[in-house]
Amino acid sequence: MRESSRRRKQNVFDISDLNTRRRDWRHFIRWAKQRLNARSVFFLICAITLLVYSIVVVKEKIRRALRWVDPPPLYERYHRAELALPQHDTEHAFSQGQKYLWVNNHVSALGWGNYLEDLIMNAQIAYISGRAFVFDNYTWNRDNTEYSEYSGKLIPSQIPLSALISGPLVGGPFTAGDRTPLAVHKLYFDKICPNPTIIDTTPVRETINDENASALTILNTWVDFLRSIADPCVEISRYSSRIFDY
Ligand SMILES: *[C@@H]1O[C@H](CO)[C@@H](O)[C@H](O)[C@H]1NC(C)=O
Ligand SMILES: *[C@@H]1O[C@H](CO)[C@@H](O)[C@H](O)[C@H]1NC(C)=O
């Protein structure tokens, strides 16, 4: 025990040695040679690597983690208000002969301009065919996550539509005397229509048979088609091409 501690003591480099012994560098080099064996060089490299890693990677991780401290809002109050719309009345969902149209292939991962365009056209088909339009969140990511990453930033995967617009598209009233059923939320539709008739858009597109058909022609064809369907619950298949393209 005493033996080993004495040996250790001999190995300790005392900075005062440099001064008192007139900067006897040979003394230092001898000390360094003793100390810097393969193991200490290995640990030195490890320490430097760790330092570089923490500066480069951990800094980025901290930066990413910090975004969660102040994430963008999810507008849940708007969502709750949407769910509380008076037309969401499961007991009277069909009592006035109401019919519904849920366009499940609405756009996603596109900007608000594209979404709104798609929304207005789909709601127009529902309105003219006399069906209640089923509205969904403005959806960037359809994977049911709360947040997505866009351009290195956190964004909401979905935003309740009423946080962005108001009026009949999100369940508001039509003009007085209009008996078209009011728009309902997608979650309400899921409740009242667990087994909707699912429509693929391709056969209807084929009956139009004109790639340059005007929006009015597409609209009228779809309205005629939807009016011929007795099922009050109709869903446009998520996996078919859109009714109106660009
Ligand atoms: C819509 O967004 C709200 C708020 O972020 C969320 O609670 C809800 O699950 C989303 N999905 C649907 C179908 O409403
Ligand atoms: C549709 O319009 C494009 C561009 O004007 C034209 O090149 C094409 O021939 C048209 N197709 C049909 C079936 O009329």
Side-chain angles (χ1 to χ4, degrees):
M1 188 68 194
R2 253 183 40 218
E3 178 65 17
S4 74
S5 76
R6 190 175 324 136
R7 208 185 298 139
R8 204 177 300 138
K9 200 159 190 191
Q10 279 171 353
N11 275 341
V12 173
F13 173 68
D14 184 353
I15 191 78
S16 63
D17 288 353
L18 282 182
N19 302 326
T20 54
R21 296 188 187 187
R22 294 197 190 107
R23 298 177 193 280
D24 186 350
W25 290 106
R26 277 177 304 174
H27 179 74
F28 172 72
I29 288 163
R30 206 182 318 122
W31 170 84
K33 273 183 179 163
Q34 271 175 354
R35 300 293 296 176
L36 295 179
N37 52 23
R39 203 175 64 174
S40 46
V41 167
F42 172 74
F43 282 124
L44 195 66
I45 288 171
C46 283
I48 291 169
T49 312
L50 196 71
L51 193 71
V52 171
Y53 177 81
S54 42
I55 289 169
V56 175
V57 180
V58 177
K59 200 181 99 188
E60 176 62 16
K61 285 197 169 161
I62 289 171
R63 201 181 64 80
R64 280 161 172 266
L66 278 180
R67 293 180 316 184
W68 292 92
V69 174
D70 190 21
L74 294 176
Y75 308 95
E76 274 120 342
R77 271 171 54 217
Y78 289 85
H79 180 64
R80 287 197 293 276
E82 288 176 359
L83 295 184
L85 281 170
Q87 61 266 41
H88 291 162
D89 178 0
T90 44
E91 273 177 36
H92 302 101
F94 307 103
S95 62
Q96 312 280 314
Q98 299 101 308
K99 289 179 166 184
Y100 301 86
L101 177 66
W102 160 229
V103 184
N104 199 359
N105 65 346
H106 67 68
V107 301
S108 60
L110 287 177
W112 169 243
N114 298 81
Y115 193 93
L116 186 60
E117 199 175 286
D118 190 52
L119 176 73
I120 289 171
M121 296 310 283
N122 293 335
Q124 189 68 12
I125 288 180
Y127 178 77
I128 299 183
S129 63
R131 286 177 179 264
F133 178 65
V134 178
F135 65 94
D136 194 8
N137 291 328
Y138 163 55
T139 309
W140 177 261
N141 199 334
R142 295 193 73 162
D143 66 357
N144 288 325
T145 54
E146 289 189 326
Y147 299 102
S148 297
E149 209 171 306
Y150 179 74
S151 189
K153 292 188 177 67
L154 220 53
I155 60 166
S157 293
Q158 316 181 45
I159 296 174
L161 265 186
S162 60
L164 299 159
I165 53 172
S166 60
L169 287 176
V170 287
F174 292 111
T175 49
D178 191 328
R179 291 175 55 86
T180 313
L182 302 181
V184 298
H185 196 278
K186 193 249 169 200
L187 294 176
Y188 174 72
F189 175 80
D190 287 345
K191 215 181 288 173
I192 59 167
C193 293
N195 299 301
T197 297
I198 297 179
I199 308 287
D200 188 314
T201 54
T202 312
V204 182
R205 188 179 288 270
E206 279 166 6
T207 65
I208 298 171
N209 192 28
D210 177 5
E211 60 170 306
N212 295 329
S214 71
L216 187 62
T217 303
I218 296 171
L219 180 80
N220 287 336
T221 309
W222 271 95
V223 167
D224 289 345
F225 175 69
L226 289 171
R227 280 186 180 153
S228 74
I229 298 175
D231 192 342
C233 301
V234 169
E235 169 177 340
I236 305 297
S237 166
R238 176 169 173 180
Y239 305 102
S240 66
S241 62
R242 286 204 289 281
I243 296 174
F244 293 96
D245 50 24
Y246 299 102

